[in-house]
Amino acid sequence: RDEPFSTPLSVGYRPSQVVVAQDEGRVLVVTEPGLDVIELSTETEPRVIDLVDLTADPVEDPAARDVSITPDGATALVRLDGSTKLGVVDVESGVREDIELGDFVSDLDLAEDGTQAFAVIGSNLSTVSTLVVIPVPLESTDASTFRRAEVASVVSRSVSISPDGSLALMYSNAENNPYLAVLTSDDRWQTPVTRALDLKAPVRAVFAAPAGPHGIAFQETA
């Protein structure tokens, strides 16, 4: 059609996230039942073509679910609060795989190109910040093959990744915590460089600059 038009569509209950694939051929909608796939076409009106399950547990709390979708719309990564596993879903086939990371997964972020995922793991008793780098698409479901980077004496539950994936800033805002773990890599995390910073005042949020040379921290008054 030459003129703009709208098409009402029905998707799953309580949609919480909408992602348009890079090629603009599909729209992915995260809902309580799963992942609705909407096909966009210049030949036909948009239509829902699939509902992909994001979990094998029918009574899992959808509100505890954090879903990250790669820019090409091919893969969905599912983190669940209080779980040590990361779910990886192939959107096209609907195949799900659970990866055991060995500790609670408290945050997950993607590089801008979607080829690497970054998971923060650790329990409430842990005083080590651990970042797990996961290749996307998966090369293996064996978590021991994933690269890891650690910063001692810093409690971290969240991560901010620069778009190019060269800088990771890890922190915790669950309580008054002034410490920041800084991790950098110029070789896709084969030999990361790590350090800890004391920012003197509680950290509330951290953001990485686009190319990774700087970070910005929002803090409470010291």
Side-chain angles (χ1 to χ4, degrees):
R1 301 183 184 184
D2 294 329
E3 72 282 358
F5 68 97
S6 62
T7 303
L9 294 172
S10 178
V11 295
Y13 187 58
R14 286 185 175 170
S16 58
Q17 184 180 351
V18 178
V19 175
V20 180
Q22 278 177 331
D23 63 3
E24 300 185 9
R26 290 183 299 174
V27 175
L28 307 176
V29 184
V30 179
T31 65
E32 284 197 359
L35 186 67
D36 287 84
V37 182
I38 299 172
E39 182 182 66
L40 302 179
S41 171
T42 58
E43 305 297 329
T44 62
E45 291 189 350
R47 60 194 180 100
V48 179
I49 60 172
D50 202 1
L51 174 62
V52 180
D53 289 332
L54 295 175
T55 176
D57 184 356
V59 297
E60 178 184 281
D61 181 9
R65 190 190 298 155
D66 176 21
V67 182
S68 300
I69 300 172
T70 55
D72 60 5
T75 305
L77 297 103
V78 185
R79 182 190 68 83
L80 188 68
D81 287 343
S83 175
T84 62
K85 295 180 179 179
L86 180 67
V88 180
V89 182
D90 184 294
V91 175
E92 186 69 29
S93 67
V95 173
R96 296 188 318 274
E97 296 181 280
D98 287 330
I99 303 172
E100 175 59 64
L101 294 183
D103 212 334
F104 296 106
V105 186
S106 59
D107 197 15
L108 182 73
D109 203 353
L110 278 171
E112 190 175 60
D113 63 4
T115 61
Q116 288 182 309
F118 300 83
V120 181
I121 64 170
S123 69
N124 291 332
L125 301 178
S126 173
T127 58
V128 176
S129 295
T130 303
L131 184 71
V132 182
V133 183
I134 304 158
V136 182
L138 283 177
E139 298 170 357
S140 169
T141 57
D142 181 1
S144 66
T145 64
F146 301 156
R147 300 187 183 102
R148 298 188 179 216
E150 295 184 344
V151 180
S153 303
V154 179
V155 176
S156 295
R157 296 295 172 264
S158 301
V159 64
S160 175
I161 301 293
S162 63
D164 67 353
S166 67
L167 170 68
L169 301 173
M170 299 172 64
Y171 63 99
S172 175
N173 57 14
E175 55 186 31
N176 291 338
N177 181 4
Y179 300 106
L180 180 69
V182 180
L183 306 90
T184 59
S185 172
D186 57 8
D187 58 5
R188 294 186 65 81
W189 298 94
Q190 296 187 55
T191 54
V193 177
T194 65
R195 61 192 174 113
L197 296 179
D198 182 355
L199 300 186
K200 306 302 181 183
V203 177
R204 288 293 167 255
V206 178
F207 303 92
H214 304 288
I216 298 172
F218 289 177
Q219 298 177 267
E220 296 285 352
T221 302

